Amino acid sequence: MAQENKIEKSESTGFYKQLFKKVLLTASVVIALSLSYTLWTDLDSDSHLLELLIIGMALIKTIFIVRLTFIQLSKIIGESHQLTHVLTLFAVLIILIVLSFSADYQALYTLSSENFKSTISLDSSFIPQFFEFIYFSLITFSSVGFGDVVPLTISGKLLVMMEVFLSFLVLVFGIANINRIHVNK
């Protein structure tokens, strides 16, 4: 029995190390893209060009997250069937998606407040404004859509569509692998 616990702990530690390695590249790319938005929005240049750059970078980020989800992490699930591992995997994906799209929405709004309409004032300082976009991103990810923050431009709508696409893929990925989950007794 003690030997089984040691093996199980070793497998669990290996899973988290492997998950960290796989997520690190994607998270690094997503964070770098999100931080670059802040620098771009401070530049005095054509806002339409910057909007296209934000959409293009969000598309690259979406591809990285899809790659992480389907190619890399399917290997991890194939090697580990524990419920805690699968839940950790999905928690990391959801946090990564919600926070990265929050940065996208923030950057788009900073470029032009015409990109989003809100029932509350979004003209406050960075932290309260970013909180509102985290809220909006989480609501968009869950497909609830209360309507208190609404994208008005094509750029805003494209970002929302990419996030909904990713949330759909994460859910489909989870449902497709539900039969592979092993619950320890």
Side-chain angles (χ1 to χ4, degrees):
M1 183 62 112
Q3 185 68 15
E4 287 178 15
N5 285 342
K6 281 185 179 181
I7 292 171
E8 198 171 291
K9 284 183 182 181
S10 172
E11 287 176 0
S12 186
T13 303
F15 167 79
Y16 290 112
K17 283 181 183 177
Q18 190 177 8
L19 176 65
F20 179 74
K21 287 178 185 177
K22 300 300 181 185
V23 170
L24 188 60
L25 172 66
T26 301
S28 299
V29 169
V30 167
I31 290 168
L33 291 174
S34 297
L35 290 176
S36 66
Y37 296 154
T38 307
L39 298 173
W40 291 341
T41 55
D42 291 338
L43 298 174
D44 290 329
S45 61
D46 185 22
S47 66
H48 294 297
L49 177 63
L50 291 175
E51 283 182 16
L52 286 174
L53 279 171
I54 291 171
I55 297 300
M57 294 300 193
L59 186 59
I60 291 169
K61 171 185 64 182
T62 301
I63 291 167
F64 264 87
I65 292 173
V66 168
R67 181 179 171 270
L68 174 74
T69 303
F70 287 106
I71 297 171
Q72 299 298 328
L73 295 178
S74 63
K75 293 177 187 175
I76 294 172
I77 288 180
E79 295 170 7
S80 173
H81 305 294
Q82 294 181 8
L83 180 61
T84 56
H85 293 176
V86 175
L87 292 177
T88 301
L89 165 68
F90 286 111
V92 166
L93 281 171
I94 290 168
I95 290 168
L96 185 65
I97 292 167
V98 167
L99 288 178
S100 67
F101 275 94
S102 299
D104 295 344
Y105 300 139
Q106 175 79 31
L108 208 55
Y109 183 79
T110 302
L111 273 176
S112 172
S113 61
E114 301 293 319
N115 285 311
F116 293 95
K117 179 181 79 172
S118 176
T119 57
I120 59 162
S121 175
L122 292 175
D123 295 330
S124 55
S125 65
F126 176 80
I127 299 295
Q129 194 178 74
F130 190 65
F131 175 78
E132 290 301 321
F133 285 114
I134 288 174
Y135 161 79
F136 175 65
S137 182
L138 188 61
I139 295 301
T140 300
F141 184 89
S142 66
S143 297
V144 174
F146 291 127
D148 49 351
V149 179
V150 179
L152 297 176
T153 61
I154 291 174
S155 300
K157 291 175 183 179
L158 282 171
L159 284 177
V160 168
M161 288 168 52
M162 280 187 247
E163 185 173 10
V164 169
F165 173 74
L166 276 175
S167 69
F168 175 75
L169 286 180
V170 167
L171 291 174
V172 166
F173 184 74
I175 292 169
N177 288 292
I178 199 110
N179 62 340
R180 297 168 65 184
I181 298 173
H182 173 68
V183 179
N184 292 336
K185 295 179 181 174

